[in-house]
Amino acid sequence: MRINSEISSQEGEDKEEGKTMSVSIQQQQKMVVVGYALTSKKRKSFLQPKLEALARNKGILFVAIDLKKPLLDQGPFDVVLHKLLGKDWCEVIEDYQQKNPEVTVLDPPDAIQHLSNRQSMLQDVADLNLADCHGKVCVPRQMVVNKDPSSIPREVSKAGLKLPLVAKPLVVDGTAKSHELFLAYDEFSLSELEPPMVLQEFVNHGGVLFKVYIVGETIKVVRRFSLPNVSNCELAKVAGVFRFPRVSSAAASADDANLDPSVGELPPRPLLERLARELRCRLGLRLFNIDMIREHGTRDRFYVIDINYFPGYGKMPDYEHIFTDFLLSLVQSKYKRRSAT
């Protein structure tokens, strides 16, 4: 695939036609070319007509990467946007990045891989010290269960985790199953779970979750309905493990709901900006989102419960404007660096 194909003029060709072709080539050369490698599901949700139309108007061209051909033979690209799994693809991207350092790859495969394991994804948050940022950011106490479901009750008791517990698959692989979660009310029911899983202490949060989208340096926050609070009375009466296929999906938007201010008030902007900046640096990523909750009964105590790479931006308000501005800023920054050297 060649984006800037060679166009030769034929003998006797009309001068005006040649002039038109020359202008066309110049316009094409000015385009910001974004090669993308996405699953069919991600392509459908992300590359919506409104995004592609706005991108064309701003001089951005999205070009599908042909996975059947060597990536090095395709392009030239200004940006490579990808969300594919597998060791082979990671090696392809790493090789391409090494041989084309001037191309911006979103994002490095090794950094993405860090978020595929729920045991490690929250460690960078746990290591943060966001003092004087209008709030405190924590992670829930958690443990990993790799095998032997019958040992889970004993291991939970040994670790001192308090019920109820949220159970999530250990590996995040982009499938719907990896985003399922379970709420366990008693220790004995924990043996019904299928490891490998992460068990997190459930934090009452008023049934509202804050989905914080990060696109480069831009932050966009939306409210989503989440699991309701669990009272001590309910915990004493209810037993078992309950499955929740997809919590905080776009269909569960709470932005227009009449929420109690103590529940629906967004996290302080300075806190979000500092958190996003620190995680961009520590994770080495520019495209991700953070799932945050506010501990019920507090105003400034927040928990990060999940981090996702290249989330469903198509569900984010004004995503087409935010994303196209981001892509243009990447190219402009690259040109500025070249001019400075």
Side-chain angles (χ1 to χ4, degrees):
M1 180 189 301
R2 300 188 62 189
I3 305 303
N4 297 319
S5 57
E6 296 179 1
I7 303 176
S8 60
S9 57
Q10 298 177 358
E11 291 184 6
E13 192 171 42
D14 184 84
K15 290 184 178 181
E16 188 62 31
E17 183 181 351
K19 182 179 179 181
T20 302
M21 290 174 64
S22 176
V23 171
S24 175
I25 294 173
Q26 290 175 1
Q27 290 175 338
Q28 190 174 13
Q29 289 174 338
K30 291 179 181 177
M31 296 288 282
V32 174
V33 184
V34 180
Y36 66 87
L38 306 171
T39 63
S40 58
K41 181 181 178 182
K42 176 60 73 174
R43 185 169 63 245
K44 183 178 179 181
S45 68
F46 176 71
L47 285 176
Q48 297 178 24
K50 63 180 180 180
L51 172 64
E52 294 193 282
L54 182 61
R56 282 194 298 270
N57 289 338
K58 290 186 174 183
I60 301 170
L61 179 65
F62 286 100
V63 178
I65 291 172
D66 189 340
L67 300 180
K68 296 180 181 179
K69 298 178 181 179
L71 181 56
L72 290 170
D73 294 342
Q74 301 180 58
F77 302 122
D78 295 292
V79 178
V80 169
L81 183 67
H82 71 105
K83 190 177 183 182
L84 295 177
L85 299 173
K87 182 180 178 181
D88 291 344
W89 174 251
C90 288
E91 291 177 352
V92 167
I93 282 289
E94 288 170 351
D95 181 58
Y96 178 85
Q97 194 168 27
Q98 185 176 11
K99 294 176 180 176
N100 296 273
E102 75 285 357
V103 178
T104 301
V105 175
L106 298 171
D107 271 311
D110 57 339
I112 297 172
Q113 189 67 26
H114 186 68
L115 294 187
S116 67
N117 185 303
R118 285 195 167 98
Q119 182 177 16
S120 60
M121 73 160 58
L122 299 183
Q123 187 57 51
D124 288 298
V125 181
D127 293 340
L128 291 179
N129 180 17
L130 303 183
D132 303 322
C133 280
H134 305 274
K136 182 175 178 60
V137 178
C138 316
V139 297
R141 293 184 63 209
Q142 67 176 34
M143 63 174 290
V144 175
V145 179
N146 286 304
K147 54 185 178 180
D148 189 11
S150 64
S151 69
I152 299 178
R154 183 175 64 256
E155 293 298 322
V156 166
S157 179
K158 183 178 177 182
L161 294 188
K162 296 179 181 178
L163 295 164
L165 294 176
V166 176
K168 306 176 183 179
L170 176 62
V171 176
V172 182
D173 58 10
T175 63
K177 187 174 179 60
S178 69
H179 289 284
E180 288 183 344
L181 63 82
F182 302 82
L183 189 61
Y185 281 81
D186 67 287
E187 286 186 6
F188 299 105
S189 297
L190 291 170
S191 58
E192 299 174 16
L193 298 172
E194 296 180 19
M197 303 199 84
V198 167
L199 302 180
Q200 291 179 346
E201 287 188 343
F202 179 75
V203 178
N204 281 335
H205 52 282
V208 173
L209 175 147
F210 304 106
K211 200 165 273 290
V212 185
Y213 291 98
I214 314 292
V215 183
E217 296 184 3
T218 300
I219 302 170
K220 191 83 171 181
V221 188
V222 299
R223 301 176 186 86
R224 298 280 170 81
F225 285 115
S226 179
L227 300 180
N229 290 345
V230 177
S231 66
N232 289 332
C233 181
E234 182 182 356
L235 187 59
K237 293 180 180 179
V238 179
V241 173
F242 297 85
R243 173 178 170 268
F244 297 87
R246 190 88 189 207
V247 176
S248 77
S249 66
S253 175
D255 280 328
D256 297 325
N258 185 20
L259 299 172
D260 184 322
S262 66
V263 172
E265 181 183 5
L266 295 179
R269 192 73 188 181
L271 180 68
L272 293 177
E273 290 175 350
R274 176 78 181 277
L275 177 61
R277 185 167 63 249
E278 290 283 353
L279 288 181
R280 274 197 306 269
C281 179
R282 290 170 179 262
L283 297 173
L285 298 171
R286 282 172 279 194
L287 301 176
F288 60 99
N289 89 304
I290 307 163
D291 287 349
M292 289 181 70
I293 57 175
R294 173 190 284 111
E295 184 174 0
H296 190 62
T298 74
R299 185 176 182 182
D300 59 359
R301 187 176 181 85
F302 300 90
Y303 286 82
V304 173
I305 57 174
D306 232 343
I307 305 176
N308 301 289
Y309 172 67
F310 201 157
Y313 285 118
K315 305 163 190 172
M316 180 179 75
D318 300 321
Y319 94 100
E320 66 274 20
H321 294 279
I322 293 172
F323 216 93
T324 50
D325 287 347
F326 167 63
L327 292 172
L328 291 175
S329 72
L330 291 176
V331 177
Q332 289 167 0
S333 296
K334 182 167 59 177
Y335 288 150
K336 286 180 181 178
R337 287 195 300 270
R338 285 179 182 175
S339 302
T341 56

